[in-house]
Amino acid sequence: MDLDVFVSAHRAEWDRLDALLRRRLTGAETDELVALYQRTATHLSLIQSSAPDPQLTGRLSQLVARARSVVTGTRRASWRDVTRFLTRQFPAAVYRARHWWVPTALLSTAVAALLGWWIGTHPEVQSTIAAPSELRELTRPGGQYETYYSSNPAASFAAQVWTNNAWAAALCLILGVFLGLPVIWILFQNMLNLGVGFGLMSSAGRLDTFLGLVLPHGLLELTAVFVAAGTGLRLGWTLIDPGPRTRRVALAEEGRAAIGMAVGLALVLFVSGAIEGFVTPSGLPTWARITIGVAAELAFLAYVYVLGGRAVRAGDTGDVEAAERSATVPTAA
């Protein structure tokens, strides 16, 4: 394509579109603006694919973006958007990612159990973690493993736990774009910490106490981490195999869903943090605390599989609505 000839042939249309964007329009001018917007978007696609010119591409991209904002209009978030996110977008995104986070959860749990068994049955491994006196202080009745959950006021402790876990989940989602490798490391660190506690407390004959402290909040908390990790791994795999979509489109779609999932998981982790801050260190019997944790976990799974499954079957992908996405232009053959 001869770029100079192309520009000469269509410069008047671009100038006209720019002029229309700068004033109040009549009905006829609005129709003209829509037509010019569509043609200019096509021109931009042709230039990008056939004769890319940074300066011209930048000008037309800005022009198309301005026109699109006028054609589609702007909208403000409303309670309807919040409701749709909580009842459709978020559960649909989690449901669609189940083939990634469910295996991630099973494999990670197996790794944590294996590490716990290894640490608990090998005193020489325990000696590399801490001195015997320090291990006794950790695992004894009223030791650090137990007092950790009541070391600070419940509200501040819950806020601290929520912040830490939400940050870990966000890192899994964000860093998934690096082929998922950082996600595997973050997940392993979490499983290692769990395995160390499991192994040390079991070697001290206090595994029941450990489970009574971890299960109330840990079921929901770990599920949220597994969902974030599985989604991050899927995002990394999208770079390798985008499927029938272009790599850019696939990454944009999965990335938007992942960002939305970060917000939803922050809410889930808020609940688990509240349980960890107020229920885990409470004076409730162990069976009551574990029951609360199991109920929270079952409620989340039902939320995902019932509402999320229904939304996916209705065509929801967890992505934002079409009107809120970036403009796409035709791809030149």
Side-chain angles (χ1 to χ4, degrees), residues 90-109:
F90 175 57
V94 178
Y95 182 82
R96 284 184 61 236
R98 69 193 184 282
H99 298 303
W100 283 88
W101 62 262
V102 171
T104 297
L106 295 176
L107 181 60
S108 299
T109 302

Side-chain angles (χ1 to χ4, degrees), residues 28-49:
E29 287 175 333
T30 300
D31 293 337
E32 183 185 3
L33 184 143
V34 172
L36 288 172
Y37 159 63
Q38 294 172 335
R39 288 204 293 272
T40 303
T42 303
H43 297 161
L44 175 60
S45 177
L46 289 169
I47 292 171
Q48 287 176 325
S49 59

Side-chain angles (χ1 to χ4, degrees), residues 145-171:
Y145 265 118
E146 292 183 44
T147 58
Y148 166 76
Y149 295 101
S150 56
S151 57
N152 291 297
S156 62
F157 181 72
Q160 179 184 357
V161 167
W162 173 58
T163 301
N164 292 338
N165 290 331
W167 177 242
L171 285 178

Side-chain angles (χ1 to χ4, degrees), residues 82-138:
V82 175
T83 301
R84 185 179 186 279
F85 173 77
L86 292 177
T87 59
R88 293 180 61 87
Q89 287 177 295
F90 175 57
V94 178
Y95 182 82
R96 284 184 61 236
R98 69 193 184 282
H99 298 303
W100 283 88
W101 62 262
V102 171
T104 297
L106 295 176
L107 181 60
S108 299
T109 302
V111 168
L114 183 61
L115 288 171
W117 169 83
W118 182 54
I119 293 170
T121 56
H122 291 75
E124 66 276 13
V125 177
Q126 298 173 27
S127 65
T128 65
I129 297 174
S133 59
E134 295 174 325
L135 294 179
R136 285 193 295 271
E137 178 61 28
L138 281 171

